[in-house]
Amino acid sequence: MTTDAPARLLALLSLLQTPREWPGGELSERLGVSRRTVRRDVDRLRELGYPVRATYGALGGYRLVAGKALPPLVLDDEEAVAIAVGLRVGAGHAVRGVDEASVRALAKLEQVLPSRLRHRVATLQAATTRLAYGDGAAIAPATLTALASAVAGRERLRFEYRAGDGGESRRLTEPYRLVSTGWRWYLVAYDMDRADWRTFRVDRVDAPVPTGVRFTPRRLPAGSAAEFVRRSVRRHTESYEAVVTFAAPARAVAESLRCGMPEPEPSEDGASCLLRATVSDPADWFALRLASLGVEFAVHRPAALVKAVGALAARLDRAAGAPDEGG
């Protein structure tokens, strides 16, 4: 019989968080307590905010249902490892849709993972190969979570930074926000040594060290961190006009492109369309974006984009080459 009430409550909660209904008798046997104790423990969980629903009769039992707020979750070892690996993979290459909330979740999870599970996560990630986007700039998840923790804790942060021209420097910053543009992460921070706001590419940040000094966030000279990054990237990136024909209706292409792209011009029969857009993304990034739309297309200019599409096609062709002789 489980006499430790807190441990028994956690065990009960772990069982109820599986998507099924548990008969009282089965819970009683699993926990080694009486049905009366199970009912009492269910009442305690309800008092703690867990919405446990009970049904009565021969087929009745208990199950955890959706409530008004998300209560704390209890994860077993396998579940914790699976979530950490998934978040690390997404964070490492700034996959579209994986934003700052995911990084905060990863920071919280890795903070409490036992060393044995942390080792399993690291081993799984080391054995995994991912298809790189754009220039393949990878981010160490530990770096991303360190930045997220400093942002959340309003703690000054030191780190080494490598500029685009290869120059290296040591920065002392007040980190404000992390921003994901889809393929890359950026840190918006106030640079203490330069007494000005700066945007840092996270894949160029190394050895971040929190100083322990708290700060009150300054007023950002832009509507939002995302807007600040957008302006900063545009200032440092040469734009070009891309002209692309798609073998698909204009509306379908527009819905897939989104993100600030102009409306494509439909052909006379409406079966195809022409896109003329000023693009500031590197050519290899935009080539990948075009290929991800899932429709036939032809790039007319500029030459750099034509070359990038050809390089991407050759890379994918090699990846889809002949299978191993043993397979």
Side-chain angles (χ1 to χ4, degrees):
M1 177 176 177
T2 305
T3 56
D4 186 344
R8 191 177 65 246
L9 281 177
L10 287 174
L12 173 59
L13 182 57
S14 180
L15 292 172
L16 291 175
Q17 284 179 341
T18 57
R20 57 161 292 191
E21 187 162 273
W22 289 86
E26 188 173 349
L27 289 176
S28 174
E29 292 177 7
R30 289 282 192 117
L31 300 173
V33 295
S34 66
R35 294 195 181 196
R36 181 180 179 183
T37 299
V38 170
R39 289 195 296 270
R40 198 160 51 230
D41 286 348
V42 166
D43 288 339
R44 290 195 182 99
L45 288 179
R46 288 170 175 159
E47 292 172 1
L48 292 172
Y50 291 93
V52 182
R53 177 179 297 169
T55 55
Y56 301 96
L59 300 178
Y62 301 94
R63 69 181 305 157
L64 197 64
V65 298
K68 295 182 179 179
L70 177 66
L73 300 177
V74 177
L75 305 173
D76 62 27
D77 286 3
E78 300 301 326
E79 293 165 343
V81 168
I83 292 173
V85 169
L87 290 173
R88 273 178 163 238
V89 169
H93 280 294
V95 175
R96 185 179 299 277
V98 180
D99 57 12
E100 187 182 344
S102 299
V103 181
R104 291 199 308 269
L106 178 59
K108 291 177 182 178
L109 184 57
E110 292 202 334
Q111 181 179 356
V112 297
L113 278 180
S115 58
R116 70 179 191 282
L117 297 186
R118 206 173 290 123
H119 175 71
R120 286 177 60 184
V121 171
T123 300
L124 278 170
Q125 188 176 21
T128 303
T129 300
R130 298 178 297 273
L131 175 65
Y133 295 97
D135 58 9
I139 303 171
T143 297
L144 204 53
T145 54
L147 300 186
S149 296
V151 169
R154 298 180 177 179
E155 184 176 0
R156 287 182 179 173
L157 191 72
R158 289 189 184 275
F159 54 82
E160 297 174 5
Y161 190 69
R162 185 184 72 261
D165 59 5
E168 297 183 355
S169 59
R170 185 77 172 167
R171 304 298 184 96
L172 174 62
T173 65
E174 293 179 349
Y176 182 77
R177 287 289 188 277
L178 279 167
V179 176
S180 171
T181 62
W183 309 125
R184 279 191 178 135
W185 284 97
Y186 291 88
L187 172 68
V188 175
Y190 188 83
D191 192 317
M192 302 296 294
D193 297 323
R194 290 156 181 77
D196 199 3
W197 289 92
R198 290 289 188 270
T199 297
F200 301 97
R201 270 180 50 175
V202 176
D203 58 287
R204 294 176 178 169
V205 171
D206 192 25
V209 178
T211 64
V213 178
R214 306 290 177 177
F215 66 90
T216 300
R218 303 168 190 263
R219 184 176 180 180
L220 185 69
S224 66
E227 179 60 27
F228 186 82
V229 169
R230 188 177 297 111
R231 294 177 187 175
S232 176
V233 170
R234 285 177 179 172
R235 283 198 306 268
H236 295 89
T237 304
E238 291 187 8
S239 60
Y240 54 90
E241 184 186 41
V243 180
V244 185
T245 299
F246 296 93
R251 178 177 295 182
V253 173
E255 290 177 353
S256 298
L257 276 173
R258 299 175 184 167
C259 297
M261 287 285 109
E263 288 282 337
E265 304 167 15
S267 61
E268 291 186 3
D269 61 4
S272 62
C273 61
L274 177 70
L275 174 71
R276 298 177 187 272
T278 300
V279 181
S280 57
D281 288 335
D284 55 354
W285 283 16
F286 195 58
L288 185 62
R289 185 175 177 185
L290 293 174
S292 69
L293 299 182
V295 299
E296 297 289 331
F297 67 94
V299 177
H300 304 291
R301 63 173 182 267
L305 183 56
V306 174
K307 182 179 179 181
V309 170
L312 176 61
R315 189 184 316 146
L316 294 177
D317 189 55
R318 290 193 298 272
D324 294 339
E325 293 182 0

